Amino acid sequence: MIKFFRKIRQKLLSENKFSKYLIYAIGEIILVVLGILIALSINNANDAKNQRQKELTLLTEMHQNLQTDLEDLNYNIKGSAERIQANEIILKALQERVPMNDSLKPYYGNIHGNFQLSNNTAAWENLKSVGMDLVSNDSLRNAISNLYAVKYTYLKNVTKGVDDGHQWNTFYPQFLDLINVDQFWVSAEPVSHEALMDNRKFQETLKMNLFIRNFMMDQYKTIHKYINSLLDQIERHILTLNEQ
C-alpha cells in the first residue's frame, strides 16, 4: 500500500499536480499513523493478557497457600481447645480438692504447651517482589495486604512476646518441678496433687494460662474466618479474570 502511494506521489509530482499530491501525502501519513496505532493496540492487548495471566497464576498459588494455612489453624484451634479443657479440669480439681485419680492424668499431661501458626507466605513474597498493583481489584488487594502485613504479623508478635514468654519462662519451670511426665500431652502426674491444692502460685499460673489460651483461640478463630472470606474474594476475582 505504501509503495502504491509513493508511485502516485511521483506521478503527481511529475505532472506538477501539487494539490492532488498533498492529498495523497496526507493519506500516506494517515496510513502510517493507523499502522502504528494498530500495532500499539495489539501490543497493549498482549501486555494486558500477560499481566492477567500473571495475576491468575499468583492468586491461584495464594489460594493454595491459604488453604494450607486453614489446615494449620484448624490444628491450632483443636489443640488450644484441648489445652483449655485440661487446664480447666485440673484447676477445678485443685480448687475443689478432688483426690488424685487416674482420670486426671491425661489432663495433667495436657496443661502445658502452646501453638504457632506456620503460614505459607510464598505467594505473598512473590506479590511483594513484582508489585502489589499486580492484583487489579482494589478491595482484594487491600484484604490480602491486611491479612499478611497486619493480622499475621500481630499474631506472630503476640505468640512470641506473650504466649511463648508465659509458657517457657513462667509455666514450664513450675511444670518441670511439680509434675512427673509419663508422655507429653498424653499423661502426667503431679509429685504431690495434695500440695498443689494449696499452691497458690501454681493455680494462678493455670489461671493466666487459661486466659492466654482463650485469647489465642479467639485470634485463631478470627483469622480463620477472615481467610475464608478472603478465599471467597479470590475465587470471585479469578472467575472475573477468566471471563475477560
Side-chain angles (χ1 to χ4, degrees):
M1 184 65 73
I2 293 176
K3 290 182 177 179
F4 171 76
F5 273 105
R6 287 176 178 171
K7 289 180 179 179
I8 295 295
R9 179 183 60 188
Q10 291 172 356
K11 181 178 180 181
L12 291 174
L13 284 174
S14 64
E15 294 176 358
N16 199 24
K17 295 179 179 180
F18 180 76
S19 59
K20 290 184 178 182
Y21 161 74
L22 184 59
I23 294 173
Y24 279 101
I26 293 173
E28 186 176 352
I29 293 172
I30 292 173
L31 180 64
V32 172
V33 170
L34 284 175
I36 293 172
L37 291 176
I38 291 171
L40 287 174
S41 177
I42 293 172
N43 186 60
N44 289 338
N46 288 334
D47 287 345
K49 183 179 180 180
N50 291 335
Q51 190 79 350
R52 186 167 67 249
Q53 186 57 50
K54 289 179 181 179
E55 184 179 3
L56 277 169
T57 300
L58 186 137
L59 288 177
T60 300
E61 180 187 10
M62 183 168 287
H63 191 280
Q64 294 169 348
N65 289 175
L66 292 174
Q67 291 285 4
T68 62
D69 288 356
L70 281 181
E71 293 175 6
D72 194 271
L73 282 167
N74 286 333
Y75 176 82
N76 292 354
I77 290 169
K78 181 177 181 294
S80 293
E82 292 171 353
R83 299 287 189 277
I84 290 169
Q85 181 189 40
N87 277 264
E88 288 176 341
I89 288 173
I90 295 302
L91 182 60
K92 183 178 180 181
L94 295 176
Q95 290 175 335
E96 297 180 359
R97 309 187 78 83
V98 176
M100 181 61 194
N101 58 80
D102 288 345
S103 68
L104 292 177
K105 287 184 177 181
Y107 300 113
Y108 266 116
N110 212 20
I111 57 176
H112 178 262
N114 62 334
F115 301 88
Q116 295 185 13
L117 176 63
S118 301
N119 58 305
N120 191 329
T121 61
W124 169 243
E125 295 300 329
N126 288 339
L127 179 58
K128 288 192 296 182
S129 67
V130 300
M132 294 295 295
D133 288 342
L134 179 66
V135 179
S136 55
N137 183 289
D138 292 344
S139 177
L140 177 58
R141 183 169 60 249
N142 291 335
I144 291 171
S145 180
N146 188 46
L147 174 66
Y148 285 95
V150 179
K151 292 185 179 297
Y152 276 164
T153 299
Y154 176 74
L155 180 62
K156 180 179 179 181
N157 290 339
V158 170
T159 300
K160 294 292 185 182
V162 178
D163 196 5
D164 282 356
H166 175 75
Q167 286 294 316
W168 301 105
N169 299 330
T170 301
F171 194 8
Y172 186 64
Q174 293 183 56
F175 186 86
L176 195 62
D177 287 341
L178 302 171
I179 310 295
N180 291 320
V181 178
D182 299 322
Q183 185 177 349
F184 268 111
W185 305 302
V186 175
S187 178
E189 185 174 356
V191 174
S192 173
H193 178 71
E194 290 70 23
L196 291 183
M197 295 178 184
D198 299 313
N199 189 326
R200 179 179 176 276
K201 181 179 180 181
F202 183 74
Q203 291 185 34
E204 292 301 315
T205 299
L206 288 180
K207 292 177 185 178
M208 178 56 69
N209 197 43
L210 273 169
F211 172 80
I212 294 173
R213 295 270 61 73
N214 278 292
F215 177 79
M216 296 305 297
M217 170 80 87
D218 288 342
Q219 297 304 308
Y220 295 141
K221 288 182 175 180
T222 297
I223 292 179
H224 192 283
K225 182 178 179 180
Y226 189 93
I227 289 176
N228 276 316
S229 176
L230 181 56
L231 284 172
D232 288 341
Q233 286 182 262
I234 291 174
E235 289 165 7
R236 289 196 300 270
H237 188 56
I238 286 176
L239 285 175
T240 300
L241 290 173
N242 283 323
E243 291 172 355
Q244 291 178 359

